[in-house]
Amino acid sequence: MTALVAGPGASLLSACATSGGGGDQPSAAPATSIAASADPKNPFGVDAKKPLEVVIFSGGYGDSYAKDLHEELYKKAYPGVTVKHTATQQIGTQLRPRIVGNDMPDVINNSGPEALDLAALATEGHLADLTPLYDAPSFDDPSKKVRDTITPLVLQNGKLDGKDLVLNYTVSHRALWYNAKLFAAKGWSVPKTWAEFTALGEAAKKEGITLFAYPGKKGPYYQLWNVLYTAAKIGGNQVIIDIDNLVDNAWQSEAMKQAVAAWVGIQQKYGDKAYLGLDHTQTQVKQLQNKVLFYPCGSWLENEMTKDIPLDFEYAIAPIPDVTASDKMPYGAIQVGVGENFVVAAKGKNPQGGMEYLRLMLSKEGAAGFTKKTNNLTVVTGAADSSGFPPGLVSASKAQDAAGENIITDARFEGWYKELFDYGWEQTNVLMSGRITADEFCSRMQKKADDIKKDDSVTKQTRSA
């Protein structure tokens, strides 16, 4: 098995604005300038007497990788230091009031349904420029800069307003997940065309199995991702690039309309609206019970459900089937990207410590330990031994090898335009519940994109690939 290398695109999940309207706001503390020191072992001049505060999203990866590994590496490097650890699935709810009050934690793992709006944080000057981190000597080999030890996509996809403000730490694969053992037992093959997909839907229906489901209560962005990647499969990555760049009528491209219509058809004929009322964990348990055949998610899924996986279940990844006979991307094209955002508070109490914490995360010990604890890869080159990988990660690696250059890009408007992405979540559920048509979904999304494009108060971002 070859080493996994991230494909184009970063996942900047964003939800929950950093502040609300009304009332006088406290004056912001000036951002601390972080300059490199002469000591390669302490390149940011960390003061061990200063406490460090770390907030982790305890989702699919849990939080022990931070509490028991990364934070311990920091304590080992700076004996006597105090590290405050907080784990939560409600990043926005917990941190929004603190950010408004200029009390932002030093390091934030910004992820999940309530992730903060990174573009807004960048505009408000809350995010530290990570350029000094990437230019610092690596922990393992001081003759190398940190930037030379990680996949270049970290630098390409972690920019906001042209600055290096976000560290995307993991390599992830998003596609359709299924039970390989069930397929083997039934003699089923993974569908390569939409006709094969619907034929399998008929076979699954006879077995009392729902062909496809996604969680509508929490994580509806799973299906929004799925529709976007299907559109890219049909029309090429330019479809998503145009959406990100707010190109006129991008949401009404033929590829987008075909993708939306295709999944609406699956939902109408083979879906179950009951799943729209379930959250991600409840839906994932249903799949482990072989009540759902295909589930759209990322490669964190296997680790998230590891304690519940029964003996007759083995996660495997399936590419999106060919939707038309003229899809621009061939069967086997798969989404591969870098994600799981980490940021350092520019106006926090210990930005130097925050920067050093990220440097330790990007050490081989920090990265290999993360992979061991979560069964997911990091962006650190050559840090993980592929032996002992669980079935789902092995399957994802093989799928990436088979895809070659046919990598589907992430949609970056997730982090660039919070309002548009949040609206997309809402409209995806409205669409999949049958309350609007595919054309109406595309029209509504286009109108929202047009409104944002016209809004001069919204900082615009662009990408070329």
Side-chain angles (χ1 to χ4, degrees):
M1 179 168 54
T2 60
L4 292 171
V5 180
S11 173
L12 303 182
L13 302 181
S14 62
C16 299
T18 59
S19 62
D24 295 330
Q25 303 298 327
S27 58
T32 302
S33 177
I34 301 175
S37 73
D39 183 359
K41 294 184 178 180
N42 186 7
F44 311 115
V46 172
D47 181 354
K49 296 179 182 178
K50 280 189 176 182
L52 183 75
E53 184 177 6
V54 179
V55 176
I56 299 294
F57 172 70
S58 55
Y61 299 128
D63 71 308
S64 69
Y65 72 85
K67 186 175 183 180
D68 301 330
L69 174 64
H70 296 154
E71 292 169 18
E72 290 302 315
L73 288 176
Y74 188 84
K75 292 176 184 178
K76 181 179 178 181
Y78 302 95
V81 72
T82 299
V83 178
K84 180 180 179 181
H85 172 92
T86 301
T88 179
Q89 291 193 9
Q90 298 178 309
I91 294 291
T93 298
Q94 287 208 8
L95 296 187
R96 188 188 310 114
R98 292 189 56 183
I99 293 171
V100 172
N102 295 308
D103 183 31
M104 187 170 171
D106 302 304
V107 177
I108 298 174
N109 167 211
N110 185 58
S111 191
E114 289 197 19
L116 295 161
D117 185 342
L118 294 180
L121 290 177
T123 299
E124 295 164 5
H126 286 294
L127 305 185
D129 189 339
L130 301 183
T131 302
L133 167 67
Y134 299 133
D135 286 337
S138 71
F139 185 84
D140 301 295
D141 183 356
S143 69
K144 290 184 178 181
K145 293 182 178 181
V146 169
R147 68 173 65 247
D148 298 324
T149 67
I150 56 180
T151 173
L153 286 167
V154 174
L155 305 176
Q156 296 174 24
N157 298 334
K159 292 184 184 295
L160 287 170
D161 299 334
K163 297 179 180 179
D164 297 316
L165 300 179
V166 183
L167 168 63
N168 296 292
Y169 190 59
T170 62
V171 176
S172 64
H173 302 73
R174 296 181 193 154
L176 302 172
W177 292 84
Y178 69 99
N179 180 4
K181 288 186 176 180
L182 175 65
F183 271 60
K186 298 291 185 182
W188 291 338
S189 297
V190 174
K192 294 184 177 180
T193 67
W194 214 254
E196 292 176 359
F197 192 40
T198 56
L200 184 57
E202 295 292 344
K205 187 185 292 187
K206 293 177 181 178
E207 300 280 349
I209 304 173
T210 300
L211 175 65
F212 169 85
Y214 78 97
K217 188 175 180 181
K218 281 188 178 180
Y221 51 81
Y222 288 2
Q223 177 59 3
L224 179 55
W225 285 338
N226 194 38
V227 169
L228 289 163
Y229 302 151
T230 303
K233 170 79 172 61
I234 297 169
N237 280 328
Q238 193 63 45
V239 173
I240 293 179
I241 293 170
D242 287 347
I243 285 174
D244 287 343
N245 289 338
L246 301 177
V247 171
D248 291 345
N249 297 317
W251 281 96
Q252 294 182 309
S253 69
E254 189 61 29
M256 179 56 67
K257 289 182 177 180
Q258 289 176 322
V260 176
W263 283 110
V264 167
I266 293 296
Q267 175 74 355
Q268 289 176 342
K269 196 166 185 179
Y270 305 106
D272 184 343
K273 290 183 182 179
Y275 288 97
L276 296 177
L278 302 185
D279 64 24
H280 64 294
T281 302
Q282 292 169 327
T283 307
Q284 288 156 199
V285 167
K286 293 286 188 182
Q287 187 183 34
L288 293 179
Q289 296 169 343
N290 288 326
K291 294 179 179 179
V292 173
L293 206 57
F294 287 105
Y295 180 73
C297 196
S299 48
W300 57 84
L301 173 63
E302 189 170 28
N303 185 69
E304 188 170 44
M305 304 305 293
T306 186
K307 294 180 181 179
D308 301 307
I309 299 174
L311 292 176
D312 65 347
F313 197 100
E314 182 179 287
Y315 276 115
I317 196 171
I320 296 168
D322 290 341
V323 182
T324 75
S326 57
D327 285 4
K328 284 194 175 181
M329 301 187 80
Y331 174 77
I334 194 169
Q335 191 280 331
V336 186
V338 292
E340 202 63 19
N341 311 152
F342 286 80
V343 295
V344 173
K347 305 172 186 178
K349 298 179 179 68
N350 191 4
Q352 294 87 355
M355 205 76 74
E356 178 68 353
Y357 183 85
L358 298 191
R359 190 174 78 106
L360 291 166
M361 284 176 56
L362 295 171
S363 68
K364 286 190 175 181
E365 183 177 358
F370 178 91
T371 297
K372 185 176 181 180
K373 284 181 173 292
T374 68
N375 292 324
N376 281 265
L377 297 178
T378 73
V379 296
V380 179
T381 306
D385 180 356
S386 62
S387 63
F389 281 173
L393 188 54
V394 172
S395 174
S397 177
K398 289 180 178 178
Q400 181 176 329
D401 288 346
E405 297 299 315
N406 298 303
I407 301 298
I408 298 173
T409 187
D410 273 0
R412 298 186 200 171
F413 78 91
E414 295 179 25
W416 290 355
Y417 309 115
K418 174 188 179 297
E419 184 179 351
L420 180 59
F421 190 59
D422 285 358
Y423 185 73
W425 289 19
E426 172 192 318
Q427 294 305 308
T428 299
N429 274 351
V430 174
L431 169 77
M432 298 298 280
S433 66
R435 287 178 282 164
I436 59 173
T437 66
D439 283 347
E440 286 172 329
F441 172 84
C442 292
S443 295
R444 290 185 181 191
M445 293 304 298
Q446 187 58 56
K447 184 179 184 304
K448 177 62 70 171
D450 291 342
D451 289 344
I452 289 171
K453 185 175 182 178
K454 295 173 186 175
D455 188 346
D456 292 337
S457 69
V458 177
T459 302
K460 306 303 188 295
Q461 313 285 340
T462 60
R463 61 182 291 193
S464 58

